């Protein structure tokens, strides 16, 4: 599993911490909402930055709990409305957030996955030893995954099995999926219903090979990487040029020396790579968990836990900076993207759920986590060009929760929706100082913000007011631009732990926000604990 940065709190320290947390909660409950702060924010249109790749808004869907079964796949005979077994309601919801790519089938599951079990008429029943030892029916396999992507309009990010598979098995899978010529495998694909070659945008070579993916040393992994990179080929004629499949190596899962050594080893190998192998990405996994095993509750928490989780999530910035610096040494031209293909909150299992299914609630706090991380990725957009939140449905920091025919979209979902204008937009620097906010023994910047120009030239500004007690009035200066109008949406809720449930699905939903244009500036008031996106013309 991905290892959190600070997971060594002992039992005694833990008890003291809990006591302090409870005392702070009492104090916080008594904190009144104070007068709003005024902040000047300046958007520097003269220094456009890199493109914020749409791939930063990618999803991760593993065969884990009800991530796939029940979440995406219900089967063609289900009373739940579906198209060839894939839930229609889920497809509609995902289309609205313009999912650019989906990473599949794992996670740890990927290094146990044997693709032949998931094709053809009579599927093998296997086991899912990583996630509760439940039966894996394999009814959702290659063709179902590609059909799902087709329905939502996303690209495939396939993780191949390096841990318990072979280069031969992975090479056959790619030939099966991508060969246009009538090879035996291509004919088998056609017999299974898809004569045209599939497009595979991204190939992950293993998953967490330093842990669940085989506990490999960096050198051993690098030797495997070269072999898989060389022999696992994409034969799709449409993907031989600019649209070539991009290969992503396993990267670090934290900032400790064993992970910086891992990045060094892979990037050093990359620096000396020959014509015979190559990579275009290095993955990074980092969960917001505070301590291991995950023990923060996803429901019924107070302001201290809210602040502590946000503080912990902000560590993503230094983690990216640390590994980017190593990558810069071996790849100064930034050819290799840092791909944050597992990120998000990881809380204690929801009471009554199977702990192996990683079920948790999703609250306004998760919305703030999503916004803060997306902003960090955007600020590192020159190196971070892809990211996948864990996980898309019913698992960890999900976009969507389902229970049989019921469905609800989460606060995190709405953040992804509000950020659609930032897909492939050009980063524009902003400058401001909104002071700090403190609670639960931690202090963090009160406001976070990014700006970007979309492909049609419109300017977008995202502002997250993390302070749950204080509104912030922002006066936006736009040197070189005379704004005529500004409008947008804001996401907030009565409490930091407000959630959308099947019974009350509209507790945390974006609402229109009024922004004034005054003296050549845009003035907008950010509610306490809110995520706001406005466009300015
Ligand atoms: O997302 C859950 C698990 O976390 C993934 O399977 C694994 O890659 C990571 O440790």
């Amino acid at each position: 599993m991905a290892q959190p940065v600070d997971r060594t709190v002992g039992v005694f320290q833990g008890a003291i911490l809990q006591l302090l947390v409870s005392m702070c909660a009492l104090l916080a409950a008594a904190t009144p909402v104070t007068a709003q702060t005024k902040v000047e924010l300046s958007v520097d249109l003269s220094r456009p930055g890199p493109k914020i790749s749409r791939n930063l808004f990618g999803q991760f869907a593993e065969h884990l709990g009800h991530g796939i079964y029940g979440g995406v796949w219900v089967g063609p005979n289900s009373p739940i409305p579906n198209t060839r077994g894939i839930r229609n309601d889920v497809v509609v919801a995902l289309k609205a957030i313009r999912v650019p790519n989906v990473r599949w089938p794992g996670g740890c599951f990927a290094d146990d996955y044997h693709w032949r079990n998931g094709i053809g008429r009579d599927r093998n029943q296997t086991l899912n030893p990583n996630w509760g030892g439940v039966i894996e029916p394999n009814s959702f396999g290659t063709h179902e995954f590609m059909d799902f992507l087709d329905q939502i309009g996303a690209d495939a990010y396939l993780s191949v099995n390096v841990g318990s598979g072979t280069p031969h098995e992975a090479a056959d899978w790619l030939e099966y999926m991508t060969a246009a010529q009538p090879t035996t495998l291509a004919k088998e694909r056609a017999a299974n219903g898809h004569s045209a070659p599939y497009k595979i945008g991204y190939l992950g070579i293993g998953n967490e090979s330093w842990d669940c993916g085989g506990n490999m040393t960096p050198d051993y992994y690098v030797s495997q990487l070269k072999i898989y990179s060389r022999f696992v080929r994409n034969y799709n004629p449409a993907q031989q040029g600019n649209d070539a499949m991009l290969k992503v190596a396993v990267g670090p899962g934290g900032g400790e020396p064993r992970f910086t050594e891992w990045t060094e080893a892979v990037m050093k190998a990359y620096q000396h790579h020959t014509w015979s192998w190559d990579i275009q990405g290095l993955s990074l996994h980092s969960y917001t968990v505070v301590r291991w095993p995950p023990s923060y509750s996803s429901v019924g928490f107070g302001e201290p836990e809210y602040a502590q989780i946000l503080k912990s999530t902000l560590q993503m910035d230094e983690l990216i900076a640390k590994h980017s610096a190593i990558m810069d040494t071996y790849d100064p031209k930034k050819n290799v993207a840092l791909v944050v293909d597992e990120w998000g909150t990881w809380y204690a299992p929801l009471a009554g759920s199977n702990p192996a299914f990683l079920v948790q609630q999703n609250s306004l706090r998760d919305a703030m986590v999503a916004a803060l991380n997306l902003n960090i990725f955007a600020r590192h957009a020159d190196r971070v060009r892809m990211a996948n939140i864990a996980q898309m449905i019913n698992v960890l920091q999900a976009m969507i929760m389902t229970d049989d025919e019921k469905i609800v979209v989460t606060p995190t979902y709405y953040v992804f929706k509000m950020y659609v204008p930032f897909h492939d937009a050009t980063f524009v620097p902003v400058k401001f100082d909104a002071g700090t906010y403190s609670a639960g023994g931690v202090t963090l910047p009160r406001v976070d913000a990014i700006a970007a120009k979309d492909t049609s030239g419109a300017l977008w500004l995202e502002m997250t007011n993390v302070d749950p007690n204080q509104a912030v009035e922002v006066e936006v200066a736009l040197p070189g631009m005379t704004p005529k109008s500004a409008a947008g949406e804001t996401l907030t809720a009565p409490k930091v732990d407000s959630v959308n449930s099947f019974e009350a699905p509209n507790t945390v939903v974006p609402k229109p926000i009024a922004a004034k244009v005054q003296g050549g500036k845009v003035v907008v008031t950010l509610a306490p604990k809110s995520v706001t996106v406005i466009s300015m013309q």
Side-chain angles (χ1 to χ4, degrees):
M1 304 293 145
Q3 299 297 301
V5 180
D6 49 355
R7 60 193 177 86
T8 46
V9 180
V11 174
F12 179 66
Q13 288 161 290
I16 303 253
L17 197 70
Q18 259 331 104
L19 189 67
L20 284 174
V21 162
S22 312
M23 285 166 65
C24 291
L26 283 175
L27 282 174
T31 310
V33 172
T34 51
Q36 65 188 35
T37 308
K38 280 196 178 195
V39 171
E40 284 179 10
L41 184 149
S42 161
V43 180
D44 190 353
L45 287 154
S46 68
R47 288 192 304 124
K51 182 166 96 172
I52 301 169
S53 170
R54 60 195 283 271
N55 278 325
L56 292 177
F57 305 88
Q59 298 287 329
F60 170 38
E62 180 166 14
H63 287 235
L64 192 179
H66 293 292
I68 297 290
Y69 298 107
V72 174
W73 180 256
V74 286
N77 301 323
S78 169
I80 298 171
N82 67 83
T83 302
R84 294 178 295 278
I86 292 156
R87 292 182 75 123
N88 292 344
D89 50 5
V90 161
V91 169
V92 168
L94 292 175
K95 275 171 91 166
I97 58 169
R98 311 250 181 96
V99 176
N101 68 79
V102 182
R103 179 172 180 252
W104 176 84
C108 298
F109 180 83
D111 282 300
D112 268 311
Y113 186 61
H114 300 285
W115 68 274
R116 281 207 155 275
N117 290 327
I119 58 162
R121 285 185 85 75
D122 296 314
R123 308 273 171 102
N124 288 340
Q125 304 278 301
T126 55
L127 290 172
N128 189 337
N130 285 291
W131 305 116
V134 295
I135 290 205
E136 164 58 55
N138 286 300
S139 33
F140 188 88
T142 302
H143 291 263
E144 293 75 19
F145 174 59
M146 296 309 291
D147 187 14
F148 167 61
L149 294 186
D150 203 35
Q151 291 189 36
I152 65 168
D155 282 335
Y157 178 10
L158 217 62
S159 286
V160 291
N161 182 342
V162 173
S164 69
T166 62
H168 189 179
E169 183 187 10
D172 277 357
W173 194 12
L174 265 287
E175 184 189 321
Y176 176 86
M177 296 184 86
T178 63
Q181 288 160 291
T183 68
T184 303
L185 283 166
K187 285 199 270 185
E188 191 180 1
R189 181 190 71 231
N192 284 332
H194 207 273
S195 52
Y198 285 119
K199 181 186 169 214
I200 306 299
Y202 310 92
L203 187 81
I205 301 178
N207 170 75
E208 298 192 356
S209 304
W210 30 263
D211 195 0
C212 72
N215 220 314
M216 301 171 189
T217 62
D219 287 348
Y220 182 79
Y221 174 73
V222 166
S223 69
Q224 297 299 299
L225 172 66
K226 291 177 180 174
I227 293 168
Y228 276 75
S229 167
R230 166 85 182 120
F231 297 109
V232 184
R233 299 181 172 101
N234 186 318
Y235 295 98
N236 188 331
Q239 290 197 261
Q240 302 311 309
N242 287 344
D243 226 2
M245 177 177 79
L246 306 183
K247 297 175 187 173
V248 181
V250 167
E256 306 95 290
R258 75 181 180 114
F259 288 123
T260 50
E261 282 157 23
W262 187 280
T263 301
E264 289 270 353
V266 176
M267 291 308 296
K268 199 169 188 171
Y270 167 80
Q271 188 186 35
H272 299 292
H273 81 96
T274 64
W275 66 271
S276 65
W277 75 279
D278 202 355
I279 52 169
Q280 291 78 33
L282 177 77
S283 102
L284 167 69
H285 289 185
S286 177
Y287 285 95
T288 300
V289 59
V290 182
R291 52 176 175 263
W292 202 259
S295 55
Y296 272 57
S297 175
S298 61
V299 287
F301 54 86
E303 194 179 330
E305 295 88 346
Y306 164 80
Q308 285 153 4
I309 286 288
L310 296 192
K311 178 82 182 171
S312 171
T313 219
L314 289 172
Q315 290 174 1
M316 179 66 89
D317 185 57
E318 55 190 84
L319 192 60
I320 289 174
K322 189 179 234 176
H323 290 286
S324 295
I326 300 171
M327 294 176 82
D328 285 348
T329 310
Y330 299 102
D331 172 32
K333 292 197 173 139
K334 302 188 194 293
N335 292 325
V336 179
L338 190 58
V339 175
V340 189
D341 54 14
E342 286 189 31
W343 68 273
T345 52
W346 191 327
Y347 304 124
L350 204 60
S353 69
N354 181 337
F357 286 6
L358 312 187
V359 181
Q360 63 191 38
Q361 250 301 356
N362 196 294
S363 65
L364 180 64
R365 179 176 64 182
D366 294 273
M368 314 295 268
V369 164
L372 293 174
N373 278 281
L374 293 173
N375 291 359
I376 292 169
F377 301 154
R379 283 191 283 267
H380 289 278
D382 56 344
R383 180 66 85 176
V384 180
R385 299 194 287 270
M386 184 145 153
N388 302 75
I389 189 166
Q391 297 196 4
M392 190 169 68
I393 304 176
N394 292 329
V395 177
L396 299 175
Q397 190 176 346
M399 310 303 106
I400 298 174
M401 313 241 277
T402 66
D403 181 12
D404 289 331
E405 77 294 349
K406 291 184 264 187
I407 182 169
V408 66
V409 300
T410 64
T412 299
Y413 171 90
Y414 284 120
V415 170
F416 273 70
K417 193 158 184 225
M418 291 165 75
Y419 272 72
V420 165
F422 290 89
H423 290 207
D424 284 345
T426 302
F427 184 84
V428 175
V430 294
K431 229 175 38 202
F432 64 96
D433 179 5
T436 56
Y437 153 70
S438 300
V442 300
T443 295
L444 47 162
R446 175 172 285 125
V447 172
D448 192 45
I450 59 160
K453 250 191 172 181
D454 72 17
T455 39
S456 74
L459 181 63
W460 294 84
L461 178 62
E462 188 287 333
M463 294 160 288
T464 302
N465 177 11
V466 301
D467 192 329
N469 305 309
Q470 201 160 297
V472 178
E473 186 186 272
V474 185
E475 201 178 79
V476 185
L478 301 146
M481 175 178 163
T482 313
K484 289 177 201 61
S485 66
E489 283 191 316
T490 191
L491 183 75
T492 186
K495 299 188 292 159
V496 287
D497 64 339
S498 292
V499 302
N500 291 336
S501 64
F502 298 120
E503 298 72 33
N506 297 322
T507 309
V508 195
V509 292
K511 306 233 165 65
I513 184 169
K516 293 181 286 192
V517 177
Q518 216 171 257
K521 292 183 176 167
V522 172
V523 182
V524 60
T525 301
L526 312 176
K529 52 177 166 28
S530 63
V531 175
T532 302
V533 173
I534 57 167
S535 74
M536 293 166 291
Q537 322 283 331

